[in-house]
Amino acid sequence: MTEREKALAGLVFKRGDVTLKAQRDRAELLCFELNATSPKESARRCEILRELLPSYKEDSFIKPPFICEYGDYISFGKSFFVNYNCKLMDGGKITFGDNILIGPDCTFVTATHPTDPVKRLEGYQQFKNITVGNNVWFGAGVIVCPGVTIGDHCVIGAGSVVVKDIPDHSVAVGNPCRVIRKVNE
């Protein structure tokens, strides 16, 4: 099994795979082009986003600056809104449902590294997928960590650091993020 195959399977792998590097380089260039466009160039922005993100649709809206690691491993449903300065570090899959609102300065990270310093220095890492349900709102400055699942109809409060799964219909806040109530309470 190649290091790329291990990475995509969610197994521990050693960085340096040339195919993954080529994918990252492509995404970095497209993000650079997107972030260099004028607000008057909305058609060009959509063109770049369609090339960068396979699931990009007409009802999607992403405000630059925007950064992703690959683009290929991000998927989302209808009505996907991303505010300024979002970072989607998609070595692992990041899957969003329908009707997603992401506030400014949010970060979603799928990579994790060994705590053992020798293994870390040798370049080992692992990607853990992030899954977000339908109708979820992320306040400004939220960080979602590797392997987290967030259920349907949730609100994640500004500045939260999500390190564990959040069940459906939850309002969750804090660092670490915790459920404080149901959305309809």
Side-chain angles (χ1 to χ4, degrees):
M1 184 177 258
T2 68
E3 295 305 308
R4 179 177 185 266
E5 290 169 334
K6 290 178 192 175
L8 297 177
L11 303 173
V12 174
F13 71 98
K14 193 169 184 178
R15 70 175 172 259
D17 182 89
V18 294
T19 306
L20 289 174
K21 182 180 182 327
Q23 284 180 277
R24 281 192 317 273
D25 290 348
R26 174 190 162 275
E28 185 176 5
L29 179 59
L30 289 168
C31 288
F32 176 82
E33 289 178 19
L34 173 69
N35 296 332
T37 60
S38 162
K40 293 180 181 180
E41 298 177 90
S42 60
R44 177 68 182 131
R45 285 181 175 181
C46 286
E47 181 182 307
I48 295 167
L49 285 164
R50 274 191 217 91
E51 189 175 345
L52 179 62
L53 304 169
S55 61
Y56 190 81
K57 305 170 197 52
E58 291 302 316
D59 65 349
S60 307
F61 191 81
I62 297 174
K63 290 184 171 189
F66 171 80
I67 295 172
C68 66
E69 195 169 15
Y70 295 91
D72 297 323
Y73 309 120
I74 300 166
S75 64
F76 46 87
K78 64 180 183 179
S79 190
F80 184 68
F81 176 84
V82 177
N83 214 320
Y84 300 108
N85 205 32
C86 181
K87 295 172 252 359
L88 300 178
M89 308 315 295
D90 63 314
K93 293 178 184 171
I94 304 176
T95 305
F96 296 95
D98 295 335
N99 306 310
I100 302 296
L101 298 172
I102 299 176
D105 299 311
C106 289
T107 303
F108 297 75
V109 180
T110 62
T112 185
H113 303 277
T115 55
D116 177 343
V118 173
K119 291 286 185 196
R120 199 169 50 248
L121 288 171
E122 290 172 352
Y124 287 97
Q125 61 184 359
Q126 182 178 16
F127 295 140
K128 294 183 178 182
N129 300 339
I130 294 171
T131 304
V132 177
N134 298 307
N135 195 28
V136 177
W137 170 31
F138 295 90
V142 170
I143 298 171
V144 178
C145 293
V148 167
T149 295
I150 298 171
D152 292 336
H153 313 291
C154 288
V155 176
I156 308 299
S160 295
V161 179
V162 186
V163 297
K164 293 183 179 176
D165 293 353
I166 305 295
D168 292 349
H169 304 279
S170 295
V171 175
V173 301
N175 180 3
C177 190
R178 63 182 178 77
V179 176
I180 59 169
R181 66 180 175 90
K182 293 292 186 184
V183 292
N184 56 359
E185 291 176 356

